[in-house]
Amino acid sequence: NAGVTQTPKFRVLKTGQSMTLLCAQDMNHEYMYWYRQDPGMGLRLIHYSVGEGTTAKGEVPDGYNVSRLKKQNFLLGLESAAPSQTSVYFCASSYPTGPQHFGDGTRLSIL
Amino acid sequence: ILNVEQSPQSLHVQEGDSTNFTCSFPSSNFYALHWYRWETAKSPEALFVMTLNGDEKKKGRISATLNTKEGYSYLYIKGSQPEDSATYLCAFGDSGYSTLTFGKGTMLLVSP
């Protein structure tokens, strides 16, 4: 049982480049989330989705876009990467009132 | 932005010690309080989901209590072991409950 899988695990980008982080879950969860984790800041919600075809902004959405075309996948895009987006990104999924299940994280560095 | 506070920020105990940490959250519009355990180089794993005032949950040597009227939850670890070393996160869900607001965590180090 894979649970929540994030790809890639590591990436280094140059300022201005774009990329997409992929999150896939095999638990048939309705809800999916993207967080970023920075030292001293805890987990902060970027965007989330409560079902296929729906997305919503979280606490820190600027500079990111998301899509949920299939229930099992939630994509996080950076259109023009900035050094402030250097972080560890976590995807999570859940049933509407259940605990969140997290992926292993993507460590992203932007030079 | 909802305010979820955890204390202490970090804690260092000896093997066998019992310990507890606090999570404070808004007392209005409460729906659920989650606890997660986050080991270094791994991802957070759910410990408890608590929804009722006065709720008490237990998993092995770890237990948690909930007071929704005053807005706090305690996590207790009895007889700490080195493998308990981790960051413990709490997260608050309000009545909208499509998202959680996480605290910054309590980092526990248990020395042999």
Side-chain angles (χ1 to χ4, degrees):
Chain A
N1 187 357
V4 179
T5 303
Q6 291 183 231
T7 53
K9 295 190 187 307
F10 305 95
R11 186 73 182 266
V12 178
L13 289 178
K14 294 181 179 178
T15 298
Q17 286 185 316
S18 63
M19 79 161 296
T20 301
L21 280 64
L22 172 63
C23 177
Q25 54 97 1
D26 62 2
M27 294 171 283
N28 202 34
H29 286 161
E30 288 293 330
Y31 291 7
M32 296 187 75
Y33 311 85
W34 276 107
Y35 295 93
R36 59 179 289 173
Q37 190 244 335
D38 302 292
M41 301 297 290
L43 284 170
R44 292 184 294 168
L45 183 66
I46 304 171
H47 286 278
Y48 66 101
S49 168
V50 298
E52 181 178 318
T54 71
T55 63
K57 294 180 180 180
E59 181 186 350
V60 288
D62 293 343
Y64 305 96
N65 56 75
V66 288
S67 64
R68 183 111 181 260
L69 298 179
K70 294 183 179 180
K71 186 177 183 179
Q72 63 268 34
N73 295 337
F74 196 27
L75 278 63
L76 178 71
L78 285 72
E79 288 189 347
S80 180
S84 61
Q85 295 176 304
T86 294
S87 188
V88 182
Y89 291 85
F90 285 94
C91 175
S93 70
S94 74
Y95 292 117
T97 59
Q100 293 188 8
H101 297 257
F102 288 82
D104 290 336
T106 295
R107 187 173 296 276
L108 183 60
S109 294
I110 300 165
L111 307 177
Chain B
I1 297 175
L2 300 171
N3 195 26
V4 180
E5 299 284 344
Q6 291 189 246
S7 62
Q9 190 173 4
S10 63
L11 196 54
H12 184 185
V13 302
Q14 297 297 309
E15 183 175 356
D17 289 348
S18 293
T19 187
N20 66 86
F21 346 116
T22 305
C23 173
S24 299
F25 52 85
S27 56
S28 59
N29 297 323
F30 175 87
Y31 192 92
L33 193 285
H34 295 213
W35 281 100
Y36 293 83
R37 170 192 162 90
W38 193 356
E39 292 182 70
T40 302
K42 295 187 177 181
S43 55
E45 292 185 351
L47 286 171
F48 306 115
V49 176
M50 309 176 78
T51 57
L52 298 175
N53 184 43
D55 221 358
E56 183 168 343
K57 301 252 181 176
K58 189 174 182 181
K59 182 184 281 190
R61 294 179 290 98
I62 304 177
S63 61
T65 60
L66 179 67
N67 183 323
T68 61
K69 296 187 185 308
E70 296 182 42
Y72 64 84
S73 175
Y74 293 138
L75 188 79
Y76 300 92
I77 302 179
K78 183 177 179 181
S80 302
Q81 299 297 309
E83 57 264 32
D84 295 328
S85 297
T87 295
Y88 292 83
L89 299 174
C90 70
F92 169 76
D94 65 11
S95 56
Y97 202 35
S98 53
T99 64
L100 296 173
T101 300
F102 282 82
K104 294 180 181 179
T106 293
M107 185 185 304
L108 173 67
L109 177 62
V110 182
S111 296

